[in-house]
Each structure stands twice: as C-alpha cells, then as structure tokens.
Amino acid sequence: MPRRLLPGKPYPLGAKASSKGTNFAVYSEYATGVSICLFDEAGKQTDCVELRERTAFVWHGLVLGVPPGQLYGLRVDGPWEPEQGQRFNKSKLLVDPYTEAISGGVDWKAPIFGHKSGDDLVRSDEDDAAGVPKSAVVDHRFDWGNDCLPQTPLADSVIYELHVKGFSERNPNVPEKLRGTYAGLGHEASIDYLKALGVTAVELMPIHEMVDDGHLIDRGLKNYWGYNTLGYFAPAARYSASGDRGGQVREFKEMVKALHAAGIEVILDVVYNHTCEGNQLGPMLSWRGICNKTYYRLVEGDERHYMDYTGTGNTLNVRHPQVLKLIMDSLRYWVTEMHVDGFRFDLAATLARELHDVDKLGGFFDTIHQDPTLADVKLIAEPWDVGDGGYQVGNFPVLWAEWNGKYRDTVRRFWKGDAGVLSDFAYRLTGSSDLYQHDGRKPYASINFVTAHDGFTLCDLVSYNDKHNEANGDNNQDGEGNNNSWNMGAEGPTDDPEINKLRERQIRNFLATLLLSQGVPMICGGDEFARSQRGNNNAYCQDNELTWYDWKLDESRVRLMEFTRRLVKLRLSHPNLHRRKFFQDRTIRNSVVRDIAWYGADGNEMPEQAWTTEWTRSMALLLNGKTLQVSDENGDPLKDDSFLMLVNASHEGVEFTLPPVPNGTPWCQVMDTENIDDPFHEEKVGEKVIVGGRSMELFSDNVEVLRRLNEPEAAAQATVQTTVQSGKPNATKGKAG
C-alpha cells in the first residue's frame, strides 16, 4: 500500500520525525524531481515516495507512518550535463546531506559512480542502492539532566588532541565491548585519566560520518584519521557500541555528558572544506548527485572540473548561500543538540576564499561572527590550505584562535640546536605577540603545539631523522619531509643509554616549553607517555596498533606521564604562566617595564647583539607575577608568584648568574629537566647555577610553589597504578601505540 504524503514543510532541512510521521526536506536548485526511498533492515527497498512540493528550491513532504530508526535514501532527477556542471542521475541512491545518522558503509565494488568507468562524461544507469550507506531517521529524545557546559576560558585551557578509537582501543580498564567507542571515551577509566592529567578539553579528531577511500580498501587499509566526510550532522557509526540506526547519536551525547560532568570540554575537528566525493572521477554518494553546481567550487569556464584547494579533489562552494547555510546549520546542531564546546576547522583558509585569495573579511566569517549560538564556543582555525597564498598563520579575524604552526617549527628548531632562532623562540615563548597583538587579539589566540596527529609523535621527533611511512603503501613518498627532528645519533629504538637519556630529556624540554609558554597548549594524545608510531609521520591510514595508544606503561613512561601532570597542574595554578594580556615589553627586547625581563648567563639583561648572534642558545626569562594587568572577579588586581626560566639548547652546560628576585626573597628551584628521576625536587640555590646541556630549569620566588606541586593526589596515583606494568624502563623504545 502506497505511503500517504502530506505537503509538509521546507524547513528544517533533513528528516524530522513527529507523531504523524517524518517530514523530509531536500535543497536542490536544478533538480527536476526528488524521491525518498525507504529500506528495511535487510537493505531492501520497500517504498519510494516522490516529493511534490517545492519551495525556494527545497523539495519537501511529510510521509505518514515513518518512525525514528527508518532507513532511507534520496534519488534526484535532473539534467546530465557534466561539461556544464550538472551531474544528476536518478539511478544512484544518495545520502541526505542533513541526515543525523548513517547506517552501513560504501561498497566500492558496487556501481557507486555516476559515470561509466574511466569516462565521467558518460552516465551510468546501474542502480547502486546495495552499495551505498543509508540515512536514518533519528529520535532526538535524550535526558541531558543537569548537564552544564564547563565554559573554561580559552586562556585557562589545556587541550588534549585524541582519536576516539585509538585512545581507548587497548585500554584494559575499559570494558572490551566499549573500547574504541564514544562510550569508551566516556567511561570512568578514560575520564579519570584525563582528570588526573589535568587537561581541560579534548579535541576529537573527525567524528563526522566518513568514508574509507577505495584505494586504501584495496591495500587492506582504512582512512583512520577521518578527513573524508560523508555527513556533517552524523556522528561516525564506526565509533559506536550502540549500533548505527541512531544509537550512535545517543552514545555520543552520553559521552559529552560524562566529560562535562568531569569539567572537560569537547572540541570537534571539523572538515567543511571538502567532502569524500573527490574530483570528477569520484563516487556519487550525496552532494554531487543532489546539486553539484551548488555544493562544489567548479573551474570557471570549465565546469566539468573542480577547484582543489585541499589536495583531495574538490572544495566546497562556501560562496553559495545554501552551502554556507549547511555549514552553519551543522555547527549550530552540534552546539545545541549535541552540546559540544568548540570547533577546530581543518584547512580553514579554504573557507575564507571568496574568489581565489584568502579573505578574512569573507562571508563565512561574517556569518559566524553574528550568530548568537556560536558566540560562546571556541573557534580554532588550522590557518592554511594547499592553494596559493594558503598559509595564513596570524591572519584570521579577532574572534578566532589558530593552530600556531610557527610555534611548532621554531620550538623544534631551537631545541634541535639550530642557529639564529633565539629571537623567534622568545616570541613563541611569550605568546607570539608579533602574530596576534596588533589586530586586537590576546595571547590565547595562539594554540601552541609541538606535535599533532599530522606528523611525528613527540617520541618519534627525538628518535628519527627521517620519516618511515612504508606501511602506507606509497613508497615513503607521502608525509612531510621537513620535520625539524633529530634522532640523537641512532635512527629509531636503541639500547644506547646515553642516547636514551638525551631523548628523555629532550621530550621533557618540549613538554616544559609547551606548558610554560604563554598562549594555549595543545598536547598530542600519548605524548605524555612517549607514544611512538615507529617513525610514521602520516599515519592517516593506520587503524591498528601502530596508532592505538599502548597503556602498558613501563616505569620510564609513567615517570614522563607524572612529569606532564605536574607541569599541567603548575600552569593552571598560576595565572602568571597563562596571562590574558601581552607583556608591556612589546618588542620583547630590552624591557623597561618589569613585567618581563630577559637575561644572559652573566645575570645582565640581554644586549641587543645577543638576539642576532647565531651561537647564542641560552637565556633567562623573568615573569613578574605582580604585573598581570588583570583583575579578579571582585575587581581587585590579580597577583601571582614570579618565575624565572633558564633555557639552554647548547650541548654543554651553562653557568647562569641569577638576576635579582622582584620581591627580594631567594629564588627557589621548581623544575629541572636534566633530572630525569626527580625533576621537581627542592634544592638550595645560590647566586649561580649550572643548567645542563639541552635542558631548562624553572625557579619561583615562593617556596610554597614546589611544595604545593608535590602534594600527592589520589586520582593521579590511582591512574598510575592501573597503567604501570613491569619492564625495563625506556621511554623511547618505539613500541607501537
């Protein structure tokens, strides 16, 4: 019996269930017909209902008796004129761009291409329904209870980038059936670990529904990272322990609710610059078959081909109002319905391209800035793409923070011992005022990182000179070749105790620099216990033990984890270490306002020539805690302890004469990265100290700083006890995970 169809409404787009049935609304400017095809659990088509109403290019109708959980797909008819950018093909089943859940995967052996093999100008009329994922109608009912967004100020944040599956897949403290899922990340064992580490936010690598590339499937690999989006509203079902008929939506919400209860924010890595459909030879899965000219940037004068600013074959057409609406609707959905706290925008420079050049005053930014729903969420840009002029670090609008690629490169080069980077290192250490101060932004516009998912892990950064990506199947041609890494004298794992000792110290130098720099630190998940990928710096297709976190930690890895935990605690306990305003010494050098001062090893202020002398690799930085320039919630000036940071990237030890303490009390040692076994120990300090080769030390004017830092915390101790395993200590052995 045919389904009864009512006119329904053109808004909201997608499938929305009610007591009567489900309202379907699909935007297509050039289509001549749109049908909703319904499927049973076995994947057999049971009905196909043609939408008769069309309002402002939206095809819509209310199909009676369609409940939540129903699987469906779209068939869209219209002209097949590839050379004019039109690629309609009603033989192909399409995923609803607004669906909130997707069931099943792509069968690359099915006729999922709109064209015949090898010729994108000739239409394929084979039905592909058996090989295409199905959209699912979602039940939105969920009890958020007393869920309260942490709303941690960005200036007070410590971000932890992780992969949902990789984080818990091998954790023995997470029930086996929940490992690698949203529920696994929301499990108490995972949350206890994150709380003990002290991070304030998790930044999840892409969790929008994604597709595994055909060429990877042929190699027995998968798109592990997930930068290959199929649905901008649908949480990926592969990370669900609750099925793919809407259970993934509820499970994601439960994860967010659990993290919020622990005071941890959730930031999503989102990919609004391209889709999984590739170039003109790619599959027809959704947008291409619904309205190709609307959704994609096509080459002007040659609309058969796609503009490619992303290196993936296509670029979303953000200049079109409907595409901008799609992105904004998606962002608002994840904030209002899923309660996420912020977004990191992949290849964000692409979104700013109005015509060809990157324009920070473009429509995308204008639209986001005026949206009240997004007013309180964190907006973080990856400020580059692969097109001409795409490197835009420091050039995003005032409400945005940025992944600071210059911070990564400078810090790596400094600790490797490169000449001539001391002055640039000083800017990175103090919030990158040269990048963010002059357009109205603050130090927390800089998201500082030394490593991220893309590139070496921190362990590999100090263990390999060259990338080792052979497992990816591209003859080691993929991945970045210039890593500013240094293996300390042996490529990969070694039994040389001196090399291993230096590697452990260098890891601590990187972590200490990251967590003591002004700006916002982002830790790449697993770096806190020396996670290795065996030198693979582009592990996007490695869904295996190479990328999954190994929680069987030996003593050295536990020791490193504890070092990181204390650094995070130290940072968050002292506003002087994460200031909300730039220092008065705007040029960094020769400060006359004593909120910051730079000293040479002789105890005198750094002379101008020292900043440009290539052999200078050591310095001291004083942060005066009495000059924070901000007030507390009662309006009183905020004060903190003062700190002195001694940095030595030379291979030999350097004797420092300590400068005077601002409050006249003696300096007290807080941290020493050269002391691997006990870096936070109390030690009497005279007028001079020797900072070991390639190490750094931190001092305070308050002896209580160290004592408070060393107070035991039950949660941290419990976490260590559940992860430590017996074994020979070696933090850089390069084990998988």
Side-chain angles (χ1 to χ4, degrees), residues 44-101:
K44 180 181 178 181
Q45 182 174 310
T46 58
D47 285 294
C48 201
V49 181
E50 185 175 355
L51 301 179
R52 296 190 291 265
E53 301 293 331
R54 184 170 184 249
T55 305
F57 302 130
V58 175
W59 301 76
H60 56 92
L62 175 62
V63 184
L64 297 182
V66 173
Q70 173 68 56
L71 299 180
Y72 72 97
L74 309 178
R75 293 189 187 275
V76 182
D77 201 1
W80 175 266
E81 301 171 347
E83 291 175 307
Q84 282 72 51
Q86 305 285 23
R87 294 179 177 270
F88 292 99
N89 189 339
K90 65 179 181 180
S91 298
K92 307 304 173 181
L93 191 75
L94 305 171
V95 172
D96 183 353
Y98 274 76
T99 188
E100 294 157 6

Side-chain angles (χ1 to χ4, degrees), residues 51 108 130 148 216 240 242 247 270 278 345 368 370 380 396-397 435-436 475 486 496-497 514 552 594-595 649 717:
L51 301 179
W108 287 91
C148 183
L216 294 179
S240 171
S242 309
V270 290
F345 293 79
I368 280 187
Q370 60 79 41
I380 302 170
F396 272 67
L435 299 177
Y436 304 113
N475 298 315
W486 177 38
D496 188 316
L514 176 65
K552 295 180 180 178
R594 295 298 183 217
D595 58 353
Q717 294 301 318

Side-chain angles (χ1 to χ4, degrees), residues 181-202:
T181 68
Y182 305 119
L185 178 54
H187 188 268
E188 61 180 356
S190 298
I191 290 178
D192 285 348
Y193 176 80
L194 294 169
K195 285 180 64 178
L197 189 59
V199 298
T200 67
V202 289

Side-chain angles (χ1 to χ4, degrees), residues 131-375:
V132 177
K134 311 302 186 292
S135 305
V137 180
V138 169
D139 184 351
H140 289 107
R141 290 175 296 179
F142 182 77
D143 183 9
W144 281 102
N146 296 321
D147 181 59
C148 183
L149 276 62
Q151 293 188 320
T152 304
L154 189 56
D156 302 333
S157 298
V158 175
I159 299 173
Y160 186 85
E161 186 195 33
L162 63 82
H163 188 284
V164 168
K165 180 176 183 180
F167 181 77
S168 66
E169 181 68 18
R170 302 175 72 188
N171 190 338
N173 299 311
V174 174
E176 187 172 0
K177 65 179 181 180
L178 302 182
R179 295 175 193 168
T181 68
Y182 305 119
L185 178 54
H187 188 268
E188 61 180 356
S190 298
I191 290 178
D192 285 348
Y193 176 80
L194 294 169
K195 285 180 64 178
L197 189 59
V199 298
T200 67
V202 289
E203 182 174 301
L204 308 185
M205 290 180 65
I207 56 82
H208 287 168
E209 190 61 66
M210 62 198 73
V211 171
D212 292 313
D213 312 68
H215 73 278
L216 294 179
I217 297 295
D218 292 341
R219 297 177 188 176
L221 302 171
K222 295 181 180 180
N223 192 318
Y224 176 67
W225 284 356
Y227 294 92
N228 207 30
T229 306
L230 177 60
Y232 289 116
F233 297 79
R238 65 183 65 189
Y239 305 137
S240 171
S242 309
D244 62 2
R245 299 281 294 273
Q248 64 266 53
V249 178
R250 173 174 291 274
E251 187 176 327
F252 184 90
K253 292 178 179 179
E254 290 170 344
M255 175 199 72
V256 172
K257 184 177 178 180
L259 287 164
H260 281 178
I264 299 172
E265 294 186 311
V266 178
I267 299 171
L268 300 186
D269 191 340
V270 290
V271 190
Y272 295 117
N273 53 76
H274 74 278
T275 77
C276 62
E277 292 185 301
N279 62 16
Q280 71 277 3
L281 297 177
M284 180 176 285
L285 300 174
S286 182
W287 307 273
R288 173 174 284 137
I290 292 173
C291 205
N292 187 58
K293 289 188 70 170
T294 292
Y295 285 107
Y296 291 114
R297 292 280 298 269
L298 305 179
V299 177
E300 188 173 353
D302 181 17
E303 294 184 314
R304 174 186 177 184
H305 297 105
Y306 296 77
M307 296 296 295
D308 184 10
Y309 294 112
T310 65
T312 65
N314 66 58
T315 302
L316 275 179
N317 184 19
V318 183
R319 297 180 299 175
H320 193 286
Q322 171 55 28
V323 180
L324 192 56
K325 174 178 168 54
L326 171 76
I327 295 173
M328 296 305 299
D329 286 347
S330 172
L331 292 171
R332 285 188 288 259
Y333 173 80
W334 288 99
V335 172
T336 59
E337 185 67 28
M338 308 297 263
H339 287 207
V340 305
D341 305 278
F343 304 95
R344 178 266 189 189
F345 293 79
D346 178 67
L347 299 182
T350 299
L351 301 173
R353 291 183 183 271
E354 288 285 285
L355 296 174
H356 176 73
D357 294 336
V358 176
D359 180 8
K360 72 176 182 179
L361 301 178
F364 172 72
F365 296 116
D366 294 342
T367 305
I368 280 187
H369 290 173
Q370 60 79 41
D371 193 302
T373 303
L374 304 179

Side-chain angles (χ1 to χ4, degrees), residues 16-61:
K16 303 300 178 185
S18 66
S19 58
K20 291 183 178 180
T22 297
N23 189 83
F24 295 93
V26 181
Y27 181 98
S28 184
E29 185 173 347
Y30 302 102
T32 58
V34 176
S35 298
I36 306 298
C37 299
L38 306 179
F39 293 82
D40 61 20
E41 293 186 5
K44 180 181 178 181
Q45 182 174 310
T46 58
D47 285 294
C48 201
V49 181
E50 185 175 355
L51 301 179
R52 296 190 291 265
E53 301 293 331
R54 184 170 184 249
T55 305
F57 302 130
V58 175
W59 301 76
H60 56 92

Side-chain angles (χ1 to χ4, degrees), residues 500 504 507-508 527-530 552-564 676-677 724-735:
N500 283 325
E504 288 196 64
I507 289 176
R508 282 159 173 75
D527 276 353
E528 74 277 13
F529 53 75
K552 295 180 180 178
L553 309 184
D554 61 25
E555 292 178 6
S556 66
R557 296 173 75 186
V558 170
R559 190 168 57 215
L560 179 61
M561 183 174 64
E562 176 64 13
F563 174 82
T564 309
I676 299 298
D677 295 319
V724 66
Q725 302 289 324
S726 61
K728 181 181 178 181
N730 188 341
T732 54
K733 268 295 187 183
K735 297 177 181 177

